[in-house]
Amino acid sequence: MPVDTPATTPQPPQTPPPAHLRRPHFSFVWLVPLVAAIMAAYLGYRTVLQEGPVLTVTFTSADDIAAGQTQVKYKAVALGTVESVALSSDNSEVVVQVRMNNVGARFLTSHARFWVVRPNFTPSNFSGLLTLVSGAYIAVDPGRPGGQFQDHFTGLEGPPGVRSDQPGQTYQLRTASIGSLAAGSPVFYRDIVVGEVLGYDIGNGLGPVTVNIFVRAPFDHLVRPQSHFWKSSGVTAQLQNGAFHIEFQSLQAIVSGGVTFDLPQEGAKSAPSPDNAVFPLYNTRDDATSAGYQNQIPVVAYFTSSVAGLTPGAPVDVLGIQVGVVKSVKLMLDPYAGKAKVRVFMNIQPERVQQVQQLPKNLSPDQVLQKMVNQGLRAQLGTVSYVTGQKEITLAWVAGATPVKLAKEGTALVIPSQSGGLDDAINSVASISSSLSKVDFDKLSNNLNKLLTTANGTLGNPQLEQALTQLNKTLRSANGTLQTVKQTYGDDSNFQRNLQELMNEANDALRSIKLLADYLNLHPQALLLGRGNQ
């Protein structure tokens, strides 16, 4: 059965809503890449501005140098960073390239010097201790102002002795040998460290060694033409006037050696010495002091006896006061006469005793010395120490010496010599020994035995005893006679008193003879040896 479908009521058409246009909102997310791009551009621009040239330095070793880590510094300010470390084409050196910043670029001049700062533990230097924590770095000294641009350098093996920011002056010292001196050894003035040894140069190896030193300001003004330099290396031990003398400058000088200088009073008014002035370097302070005396009288003496123990530098004294120093001791041979003698050259220094201006103006040193020789002045070999055998020259007056006219060898005066001291004692002992060697002790012993036997027989002879008994009887008889005389002449007469004294003395003599006889009977050897040891 059909179903009736209700009729659909038509709907009116719907009108779409009106469209509204909306502008998109700005997102802050886009600021992040924008800011990053700006910062990158700024940093890149700043890096370009601060970036300096590339520095190339060659070293013998790349110890403690690392690319990207090791820096170039001046007074703890970073000037650049190592970019690469490589070997040279011949493998003899290490080539280090450093990217310098714009500040470091100003250090690239021909006066600059570069070296690696590492921990340094040597007897003369303890430095670079901070690098144990922070690591090694390349240090630079800009040098004096000026110079041309340079970006290739040869690095130093160690820090330079003189920095451009340290005022002072360098000097040259000439010596035969350097002893224990080395680069970095201290320079002393009145026990104050005022500089250091920079190094040395032996030249061609045939001449003196040149030691370069640096003295800091203001102490460099104390270096003047009259200044004396000597080695204060290690410990000095010697005998002075028979006494043991030990001296050292400081603990550092013992380990690494050192140089000491002074300024005599007479040099205080002179001007300071210029840079690179040359001075002699003496082995000891005594040598430097001796060389400082302006008045030096050269003297020569000849000896024909042994001079063992006499060396250059030995003192020359008068009455125990040093007046000079021995300069050389040489053996002189006479091939024609077949003899030998020793030539001792010495310098007499009057300033050790009195000032030059106090010497008589009307007498020259030659005349003064001639007068002393006429009075018996002679050069003798003396002994400073019998333990070490050290000798000296003693100028002594010899009694009864014949006046001698002084001869000359060039500018040197020849003083007559005279054996003395230990030499005389040895010669006397040798003479006595020679005389004793000629004595026939066996024959002398036999004669002494015979003499003792004869003396013993004589003293023990009964006839001697009988004679002494008879003498005793005689004295008793004389005593009886005296009693008779006394009765005749009285007790108070002069004759009696004189006879009494005579008899008293006779009795004393008798007792002495009796004691002597008894003693000699027991000790007949007392006739030769005496009774001191009996």
Side-chain angles (χ1 to χ4, degrees), residues 210-231:
T210 300
V211 179
N212 298 309
I213 66 170
F214 173 74
V215 179
R216 298 191 304 270
F219 301 101
D220 56 341
H221 292 287
L222 298 172
V223 180
R224 308 192 179 188
Q226 293 80 10
S227 296
H228 303 137
F229 292 81
W230 66 89
K231 303 172 189 174

Side-chain angles (χ1 to χ4, degrees), residues 201-499:
D201 181 14
I202 64 172
N204 60 5
L206 302 177
V209 180
T210 300
V211 179
N212 298 309
I213 66 170
F214 173 74
V215 179
R216 298 191 304 270
F219 301 101
D220 56 341
H221 292 287
L222 298 172
V223 180
R224 308 192 179 188
Q226 293 80 10
S227 296
H228 303 137
F229 292 81
W230 66 89
K231 303 172 189 174
S232 52
S233 304
V235 179
T236 301
Q238 57 182 340
L239 285 171
Q240 293 183 351
N241 298 325
F244 186 72
H245 179 74
I246 185 170
E247 178 181 357
F248 62 89
Q249 187 75 40
S250 69
L251 182 60
Q252 186 177 2
I254 293 177
V255 176
S256 62
V259 173
T260 302
F261 75 95
D262 67 357
L263 178 62
Q265 293 183 354
E266 59 269 18
K269 296 183 180 179
S270 59
S273 298
D275 193 39
N276 287 321
V278 179
F279 295 89
L281 178 61
Y282 299 98
N283 290 326
T284 64
R285 180 171 188 164
D286 290 341
D287 293 343
T289 302
S290 177
Y293 293 115
Q294 298 180 357
N295 191 11
Q296 305 272 352
I297 303 176
V299 173
V300 172
Y302 288 94
F303 294 88
T304 56
S305 58
S306 174
V307 296
L310 184 67
T311 59
V316 178
D317 65 46
V318 174
L319 300 178
I321 303 298
Q322 184 175 355
V323 297
V325 62
V326 174
K327 304 301 292 184
S328 67
V329 180
K330 294 183 178 180
L331 178 66
M332 309 292 292
L333 297 176
D334 187 346
Y336 299 101
K339 296 182 179 180
K341 58 183 177 180
V342 178
R343 182 181 187 270
V344 179
F345 177 77
M346 51 195 133
N347 278 339
I348 305 299
Q349 300 153 338
E351 293 169 277
R352 288 181 179 269
V353 182
Q354 64 178 152
Q355 299 298 326
V356 177
Q357 57 267 22
Q358 295 177 351
L359 293 175
K361 295 182 179 180
N362 59 336
L363 291 177
S364 65
D366 296 8
Q367 293 173 323
V368 174
L369 196 57
Q370 179 66 70
K371 289 181 176 292
M372 298 173 71
V373 170
N374 291 340
Q375 295 298 322
L377 184 70
R378 298 293 186 268
Q380 296 181 340
L381 189 65
T383 301
V384 177
S385 172
Y386 291 100
V387 177
T388 63
Q390 182 181 359
K391 298 295 182 64
E392 66 179 0
I393 296 297
T394 300
L395 301 181
W397 281 265
V398 177
T402 304
V404 178
K405 182 175 177 57
L406 290 177
K408 271 198 169 185
E409 291 185 3
T411 59
L413 297 171
V414 181
I415 294 183
S417 62
Q418 175 83 21
S419 62
L422 184 60
D423 288 339
D424 278 351
I426 293 176
N427 292 335
S428 298
V429 172
S431 177
I432 294 174
S433 177
S434 178
S435 299
L436 290 176
S437 64
K438 299 176 182 179
V439 176
D440 189 348
F441 287 99
D442 292 336
K443 184 177 181 180
L444 178 61
S445 177
N446 294 331
N447 292 336
L448 288 175
N449 289 333
K450 292 180 181 179
L451 177 61
L452 291 174
T453 302
T454 302
N456 187 32
T458 301
L459 294 174
N461 194 333
Q463 295 179 356
L464 178 60
E465 294 181 358
Q466 184 178 2
L468 292 175
T469 302
Q470 187 65 34
L471 177 61
N472 187 22
K473 292 180 180 180
T474 303
L475 290 175
R476 289 179 181 179
S477 177
N479 189 26
T481 304
L482 177 61
Q483 294 296 329
T484 303
V485 174
K486 178 179 179 182
Q487 294 175 359
T488 306
Y489 293 96
D491 295 336
D492 195 26
S493 64
N494 293 331
F495 182 78
Q496 190 274 340
R497 286 194 296 271
N498 292 335
L499 286 178

Side-chain angles (χ1 to χ4, degrees), residues 3-10:
V3 178
D4 294 333
T5 303
T8 302
T9 304

